[in-house]
DNA sequence: ATGACGATTGCAAGTAATTGCAACTGCATA
DNA sequence: TATGCAGTTGCAATTACTTGCAATCGTCAT
């Protein structure tokens, strides 16, 4: 990741290096606040807007994905070669990871129909999970 | 819409009626701010949090969709029986409306694979439009 | 070395949206 | 008519994120 940025001629400042370390060190979906607090441990002078601006930069370079997984803030995730998406139940809040291949037919249909290159790297798909669908039916 | 709310036993306060009128009167995708200013014309004492809380209520009842179409704020749209989605080019900003049927294979695959009822009523799909893909290739 | 430049940063102020809370409303019940 | 209560509203404060701007940094030519 650092190598890729260097190749593109993007200046690797100390702040950016620390943010990258946190992003790559955590395999979860982290919030800007998470990163901010983690970097603060070693460099207390870091500013939250630097974190947001770095994440923005990485997003524009397609190196991180930004997703609203609920919980009141956006979540950031480094782009790996195997994309994935999330099913989120808006009743019970449970989440399930799904493979990117599920979205492939849509990508193809959009390309064929509109010539549009859909970059769906990390989607949050809201709905009702298996369990909540069943309790719904029982109630009726 | 008002009838549907009345049936569900949701109190139809004057504020809610005015918000509903604006929502149904504008066939576009409106922001909370748009609604707020429109209602203010006839009732200057309306509060922006009432607008947000009403939109939240309508969202929970699946009567409006909430979508981030860019532009710095969320856009609200009454749910009609014919859903649609948006392709947004993150290079030139152009938007294209697409039919819901494009997402049908995904809905089916997610149902078959996970038993999850995906409620994709109003998606913003970001990517590169036909024109920007071509200029991209020319540059290389 | 020196100065010019473009990019980055920290800070403060701003924006969109949410939340806590007290006051109010409509409605049922005594 | 008075009382209680659930639901709603307005207000103020807060949260997540963005933006404008001055100060700083790196680096490149002189």
């Amino acid at each position: 990741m650092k190598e890729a940025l260097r190749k593109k001629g993007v200046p690797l400042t100390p702040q950016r290096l620390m943010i990258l370390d946190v992003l790559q060190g955590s395999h979860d979906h982290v919030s800007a606040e998470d990163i901010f607090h983690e970097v603060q441990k070693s460099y207390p002078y870091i500013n939250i807007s630097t974190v947001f601006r770095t994440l923005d930069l990485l997003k524009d370079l397609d190196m991180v994905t930004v997703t609203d997984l609920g919980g009141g803030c956006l979540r950031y995730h480094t782009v790996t070669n195997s994309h994935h998406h999330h099913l989120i139940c808006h009743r019970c809040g449970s989440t399930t990871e799904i493979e990117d291949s599920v979205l492939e037919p849509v990508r193809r249909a959009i390309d064929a129909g509109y010539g549009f290159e859909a970059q769906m790297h990390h989607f949050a798909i809201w709905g009702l999970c298996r369990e909540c669908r069943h309790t719904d039916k029982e109630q009726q």
Side-chain angles (χ1 to χ4, degrees), chain A:
Chain A
M1 204 160 174
K2 291 172 192 170
E3 200 47 49
L5 287 167
R6 210 168 277 140
K7 268 185 193 163
K8 291 181 196 241
V10 174
L12 283 176
T13 65
Q15 287 92 333
R16 286 182 182 171
L17 286 171
M18 290 185 279
I19 291 166
L20 286 169
D21 280 340
V22 175
L23 260 174
Q24 296 195 291
S26 83
H27 293 281
D28 249 2
H29 304 79
V30 290
S31 68
E33 198 77 12
D34 292 339
I35 298 172
F36 178 60
H37 282 122
E38 200 55 42
V39 173
Q40 264 195 330
K41 287 182 187 170
S42 51
Y43 176 62
Y45 308 109
I46 186 81
N47 192 281
I48 189 80
S49 61
T50 303
V51 177
F52 279 112
R53 278 191 279 228
T54 303
L55 290 170
D56 233 48
L57 175 77
L58 296 172
K59 183 189 70 186
D60 288 347
L61 296 170
D62 271 327
M63 297 175 75
V64 302
T65 58
V66 192
T67 319
D68 181 3
L69 297 173
C73 66
L74 300 174
R75 301 263 156 196
Y76 299 83
H77 192 255
T78 55
V79 169
T80 54
N81 35 11
S82 66
H83 295 150
H84 70 272
H85 311 275
H86 296 263
L87 306 179
I88 311 175
C89 179
H90 62 59
R91 170 150 318 188
C92 72
S94 71
T95 66
T96 313
E97 250 183 53
I98 65 168
E99 286 179 68
D100 183 56
S101 57
V102 174
L103 292 185
E104 204 46 48
V106 180
R107 237 181 241 114
R108 267 203 298 276
I110 289 175
D111 190 357
Y114 305 89
F116 188 94
E117 183 187 322
Q119 293 165 347
M120 307 177 287
H121 291 340
H122 198 213
F123 255 33
I125 298 173
W126 296 77
L128 276 181
C129 70
R130 199 195 304 268
E131 286 71 30
C132 290
R133 281 171 91 176
H134 288 164
T135 53
D136 248 29
K137 275 184 193 159
E138 281 163 20
Q139 280 171 8
Q140 281 166 12

